[in-house]
């Protein structure tokens, strides 16, 4: 493949919500993108629409074999390794601690925490090696999608929020570990974003309607994608480690 892309990015959860918006944003900015999602048909549709700038790898983002394939695909499809990794894949779970669905919580932990840790570990190992000679001439970025409920206890998703507290801790730990080695690690904490997230999380219609009544207009995926692109657009020596993005009227969480 011609090697004419600005940067090469891996984006997990790339067929809906923040992930899809980010993939589109980065392609429009001249990046090559390897996107991951479970649904092969949706990835194929994005490949057809976005052209050679987008390549899909279907599979479970908590499966280390699938994650390894993402890194292999960047070199195979774009001719060079990824210098951007967006850890976006995850799922929500509505409800309080006393009413937690333990079976669902185990799946949320596996995807939101274990899968994210595996992706961060793989990205860090590869980027540290590249930045031994690459920094400060070029940037290497790992961007993790957290949540405002990873810094504030939420009355409607305390159990899900606990996974985001964990992800925030992993992100900051990795920043301290590999920032001095020339790899930027950034956390993006969205407020309420209109997407399919609420349906998957099992939020009631009344809860979602309450979001609209209290906080409209809510965020959309493109709002978060612009924040991610802003982080990536900084010179290699400038590191934006944490951004919180809320709807203007959202006071809490």
């Amino acid at each position: 493949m011609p090697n004419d892309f600005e940067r090469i990015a891996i984006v997990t959860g790339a067929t809906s919500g923040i992930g899809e918006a980010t993939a589109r944003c980065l392609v429009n900015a001249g990046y090559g993108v390897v996107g991951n999602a479970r649904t092969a048909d949706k990835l194929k549709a994005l490949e057809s629409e976005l052209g050679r700038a987008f390549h899909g790898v279907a599979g479970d983002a908590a499966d280390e074999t699938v994650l390894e394939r993402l890194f292999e695909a960047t070199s195979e499809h774009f001719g060079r390794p990824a210098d951007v990794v967006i850890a976006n894949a995850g799922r929500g779970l509505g409800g309080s601690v006393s009413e937690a669905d333990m079976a669902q919580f185990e799946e949320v932990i596996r995807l939101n925490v274990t899968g994210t840790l595996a992706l961060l570990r793989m990205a860090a190992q590869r980027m540290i090696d590249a930045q031994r000679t690459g920094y400060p001439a070029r940037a290497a970025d790992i961007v993790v999608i957290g949540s405002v409920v990873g810094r504030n206890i939420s009355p409607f998703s305390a159990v899900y929020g606990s996974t985001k507290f964990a992800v925030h801790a992993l992100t900051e730990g990795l920043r301290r570990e590999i920032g001095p080695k020339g790899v930027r690690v950034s956390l993006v904490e969205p407020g309420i974003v209109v997407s399919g997230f609420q349906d998957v999380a099992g939020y009631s219609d009344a809860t979602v309607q309450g979001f609209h009544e209290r906080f409209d207009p809510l965020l959309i995926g493109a709002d978060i994608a612009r924040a991610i692109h802003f982080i990536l657009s900084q010179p290699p020596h400038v590191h934006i480690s944490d951004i919180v993005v809320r709807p203007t009227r959202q006071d809490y969480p």
Side-chain angles (χ1 to χ4, degrees):
M1 294 292 296
N3 196 11
D4 56 356
F5 293 100
E6 180 79 13
R7 300 182 69 180
I8 305 300
I10 289 170
V11 180
T12 61
T15 58
S16 64
I18 293 170
E20 181 180 354
T22 300
R24 292 179 182 278
C25 176
L26 297 186
V27 166
N28 289 337
Y31 289 37
V33 176
V34 170
N36 161 255
R38 293 187 180 186
T39 309
D41 288 348
K42 291 183 179 179
L43 290 170
K44 289 293 184 185
L46 282 175
E47 288 178 344
S48 297
E49 179 185 349
L50 300 176
R52 68 182 184 89
F54 182 86
H55 177 72
V57 174
D60 185 343
D63 183 334
E64 292 198 27
T65 302
V66 173
L67 297 179
E68 291 280 2
R69 181 69 188 132
L70 293 176
F71 290 96
E72 294 168 358
T74 62
S75 295
E76 293 172 2
H77 189 74
F78 294 111
R80 68 186 204 258
D83 55 16
V84 175
V85 171
I86 312 295
N88 167 71
R91 58 156 292 185
L93 180 63
S96 65
V97 174
S98 63
E99 299 172 351
D101 183 320
M102 294 307 296
Q104 287 198 60
F105 183 59
E106 289 178 5
E107 173 60 18
V108 172
I109 284 282
R110 190 183 76 86
L111 182 58
N112 291 12
V113 181
T114 307
T116 297
L117 174 57
L119 179 59
L120 298 185
R121 180 174 174 270
M122 290 180 191
Q125 291 171 347
R126 289 163 172 79
M127 290 181 175
I128 288 170
D129 287 342
Q131 289 301 83
R132 286 194 177 100
T133 56
Y135 184 81
R138 63 179 183 233
D141 287 279
I142 300 171
V143 180
V144 182
I145 306 304
S147 173
V148 293
V149 301
R151 65 161 60 205
N152 302 283
I153 304 301
S154 161
F156 52 81
S157 58
V159 174
Y160 162 71
S162 72
T163 70
K164 288 302 184 179
F165 270 89
V167 166
H168 290 195
L170 293 172
T171 304
E172 175 61 9
L174 186 62
R175 183 195 68 80
R176 296 184 185 191
E177 178 183 352
I178 67 176
K181 299 176 181 179
V183 182
R184 305 187 298 199
V185 183
S186 302
L187 177 66
V188 178
E189 301 173 58
I192 298 171
V193 179
V194 177
S195 70
F197 174 90
Q198 289 82 17
D199 288 340
V200 174
Y203 291 175
S204 69
D205 291 343
T207 296
V208 174
Q209 182 60 30
F211 294 159
H212 286 285
E213 291 173 355
R214 293 173 59 195
F215 306 138
D216 262 353
L218 302 179
L219 301 176
I220 60 174
D223 298 322
I224 307 305
R226 286 194 301 274
I228 293 169
H229 185 240
F230 176 72
I231 290 170
L232 302 178
S233 300
Q234 301 308 305
H237 71 287
V238 177
H239 179 195
I240 298 172
S241 61
D242 192 353
I243 290 183
V244 180
V245 186
R246 289 185 176 92
T248 297
R249 297 178 64 228
Q250 182 180 340
D251 55 346
Y252 186 88

